[in-house]
Structure formats: C-alpha cells, structure tokens
Amino acid sequence: QVQLVESGGGLVQAGGSLRLSCAASGSIIRVNAMNWYRQAPGKQRELVAGITSGGRTNYADSVKGRFTISRDNAKNTVYLQMNSLKPEDTAVYYCNAEVLAAGTFIFNDYWGQGTQVTVSS
C-alpha cells in the first residue's frame, strides 16, 4: 500500500506565505510525477503545479511567479511554496503522485487526504 500525507495548510492573510509538504510512503519502487491540485467550494479540482522525477515543472497560469514546486526524491516528498497568497487561492489542496508500488507492474495514481488553505483579505 502507498500513502500520501500532506501537511502545512492553514489560515494566512493576503500577501502571506505557506509551505505545503506531501510525503509518499509504503511499498514504493519508484515515483514519477508529483503534483498539487486544489479544489475550491463549488469549483472543479484543478492542477496547480507538477514536477517530474527529473525536476521539470509546470504551473497553472494563476500561480506562476508566486508558487514554487520542488521535491526530494530520496524522501519521496514534494513541496509547494506559496507566496503572495490571494483570497482566491483559498481551497483544499491535494497531493497526487504516480507510483510504482511493490507487487504491481504499472504506475498508479495516488492521492492525499487534502489540506485546507484559507487566505483572508
């Protein structure tokens, strides 16, 4: 089994910063892409940022220049540094990873439980 555990969410004022972490654990052979998604009330889940195992990154236009995704492959952990936060960044943030687990032969998608980020104006 593979688990993704997020941490670092909370309440922050507009213009502030937060850092999210997500650690993958379990019977992991390899982790490919790791991503952060978010879902605001009444809206669809959207991709915020992604990073490949080689370090290539991509961002949603709405967060470019403010958010930075990074990872520590040795720890199977992905981070999301969020700066200059805006009220519209308020959402539940979910970690997602493509994982090859022991006893399997394909990469499967795994999700964390989500962490709430609230930005007050």
Side-chain angles (χ1 to χ4, degrees), residues 53-118:
S53 57
R56 187 181 306 172
T57 60
N58 64 283
Y59 296 92
D61 287 343
S62 59
V63 306
K64 282 181 181 177
R66 300 187 298 122
F67 291 9
T68 302
I69 189 170
S70 61
R71 65 189 285 171
D72 183 333
N73 289 334
K75 297 180 179 180
N76 290 327
T77 298
V78 63
Y79 306 95
L80 186 68
Q81 178 66 44
M82 304 185 294
N83 298 328
S84 302
L85 282 161
K86 304 175 181 180
E88 51 263 44
D89 294 317
T90 296
V92 178
Y93 284 69
Y94 296 92
C95 174
N96 162 261
E98 299 171 359
V99 179
L100 178 64
T104 66
F105 301 96
I106 60 172
F107 285 86
N108 288 296
D109 266 351
Y110 292 87
W111 292 87
Q113 79 285 357
T115 185
Q116 177 70 46
V117 171
T118 303

Side-chain angles (χ1 to χ4, degrees), residues 1-2 10 13 19 22 25 35-36 42 44-45 51 55 57 63 65 69 74 84 92 94 101 105 112 115-116 119:
Q1 288 288 346
V2 174
Q13 288 189 332
R19 188 189 193 215
C22 172
S25 62
N35 307 292
W36 286 98
Q44 289 189 330
R45 190 173 296 189
I51 185 167
T57 60
V63 306
I69 189 170
S84 302
V92 178
Y94 296 92
F105 301 96
T115 185
Q116 177 70 46
V119 184

